[in-house]
Amino acid sequence: MQVGAHVSVSSSRVSSDEETPPYDNIRNAVHRQLAFGGNCGQIFTTSPQVWKTRNIDDEEAEAFREGTEESDVGPWVIHSAYLVNLATPKDDLTEKSRESMQAEVDAAGKLGIDYVNVHLGAHTGAGVDQGLDNAAATLDSLDVPEGVTLLVESDAGSGTKLGGEFEHLAEVIDRAEQDLAVCLDTAHAFSAGYDLSSAGAVEETLAEFDDVVGFEKLACVHLNDSKHDCGTNKDEHAHIGKGKIGEDGMHAFINHDAIRDVPLVLETPTENGKGFAWNIERVRELRE
């Protein structure tokens, strides 16, 4: 079973026996994932809140690749910066988004990371069709290294954001020349109106996903419970089985035939005495 968390690459330690360099280093992700009990995971290469790319030197990249191989951790996902907006009609924002995404796929190639994950963004009034065209065009402008796959992520669907409907994901895949795949976020899908709170609801939602997008395009799952009800478009994650999706829904989702071999990456909170280690163990307990 492949389950892990979105981990930091910062120099701060998770535990006293964790060996991390005294500076931010991509290789820290491997130590941190193991400390949480994960065997796959996700990272930011730099702060997701600023337009800043990070130079990853050869030594740092080699240390990450060697640590990943020696620890048998993977696959890894790079999550793009939050500022990236593929659907925007604004030329300056499109160029910044393209430059940021090119840096991420280049980093993935250097680090031997399989996936770069990105939200489609918001069309901000340009309309759904134009926004989807914009997103596809920006993705097509990228020079993606061999072995790296771009993932478009499902969204909670608030405002003019795209990705809240499975059709948006399918349309971008169809319109783009890049070979794209999908990251399905359970909390986002639930908040967007796709019920996952019972075995029957999981079966119905995943059947719709297969019909619209296709399970063959599902490369990764962001496994998160939701603090808000289905269809509220509110994006706030909860501990596995402790939110509105709940234990029954999470159990059904994790054990669905279409999900069993898909990497599960947690973005659950650290609160109420629970963190990534607790949530990863809970997922393993729910898997039959």
Side-chain angles (χ1 to χ4, degrees):
M1 182 182 185
Q2 293 173 308
V3 57
H6 181 118
V7 294
S8 171
V9 302
S10 73
S11 59
S12 59
R13 295 184 176 184
V14 172
S15 62
S16 60
D17 60 349
E18 183 190 0
E19 297 180 2
T20 62
Y23 51 88
D24 289 1
N25 191 302
I26 301 293
R27 89 178 201 203
N28 289 335
V30 180
H31 301 298
R32 196 145 292 140
Q33 196 64 249
L34 295 173
F36 289 132
N39 58 14
C40 69
Q42 180 174 268
I43 60 170
F44 291 124
T45 61
T46 187
S47 171
Q49 306 284 6
V50 296
W51 292 114
K52 182 180 180 181
T53 58
R54 188 168 180 274
N55 180 42
I56 301 170
D57 62 36
D58 293 342
E59 182 180 355
E60 183 178 2
E62 183 178 3
F64 175 84
R65 293 194 305 269
E66 288 180 351
T68 292
E69 183 176 359
E70 291 170 1
S71 304
D72 194 24
V73 176
W76 286 98
V77 181
I78 291 175
H79 196 300
S80 64
Y82 294 140
L83 298 178
V84 169
N85 187 347
L86 303 179
T88 182
K90 299 177 181 178
D91 291 342
D92 58 339
L93 182 52
T94 294
E95 182 56 23
K96 287 182 178 180
S97 298
R98 190 201 66 77
E99 290 176 356
S100 179
M101 288 299 298
Q102 186 63 56
E104 300 290 24
V105 296
D106 288 343
K110 189 168 188 176
L111 293 165
I113 288 180
D114 297 283
Y115 302 115
V116 174
N117 180 66
V118 64
H119 293 268
L120 295 177
H123 64 72
T124 62
V128 172
D129 280 342
Q130 186 60 57
L132 293 171
D133 280 344
N134 294 344
T138 300
L139 291 170
D140 281 343
S141 72
L142 302 176
D143 182 11
V144 181
E146 185 177 355
V148 177
T149 300
L150 288 162
L151 307 182
V152 288
E153 182 179 345
S154 62
D155 197 270
S158 60
T160 65
K161 289 182 179 178
L162 301 178
E165 299 178 21
F166 292 159
E167 286 78 7
H168 296 168
L169 306 176
E171 280 293 329
V172 167
I173 290 171
D174 184 61
R175 297 181 192 201
E177 295 182 5
Q178 293 276 15
D179 186 15
L180 306 176
V182 168
C183 175
L184 177 64
D185 187 306
T186 52
H188 294 173
F190 185 74
S191 294
Y194 295 99
D195 194 3
L196 294 167
S197 61
S198 67
V202 167
E203 188 64 42
E204 184 176 342
T205 289
L206 288 181
E208 183 172 353
F209 179 90
D210 188 32
D211 183 58
V212 175
V213 180
F215 287 141
E216 70 278 3
K217 287 295 184 179
L218 181 61
C220 179
V221 165
H222 281 172
L223 190 69
N224 303 300
D225 210 326
S226 173
K227 289 186 178 181
H228 301 282
D229 290 326
C230 184
T232 57
N233 302 122
K234 294 181 179 180
D235 179 13
E236 194 173 4
H237 300 172
H239 295 305
I240 301 299
K242 298 296 185 179
K244 297 295 185 177
I245 294 176
E247 185 172 313
D248 289 347
M250 280 292 169
H251 177 271
F253 184 89
I254 292 167
N255 288 288
H256 193 282
D257 287 344
I259 303 301
R260 294 190 70 86
D261 295 328
V262 178
L264 308 176
V265 177
L266 279 64
E267 301 169 320
T268 47
T270 298
E271 60 186 17
N272 302 325
K274 301 178 179 66
F276 285 140
W278 184 92
N279 281 280
I280 288 171
E281 180 60 25
R282 189 69 188 112
V283 173
R284 291 200 170 105
E285 290 171 353
L286 291 172
R287 171 62 68 89
E288 295 178 351

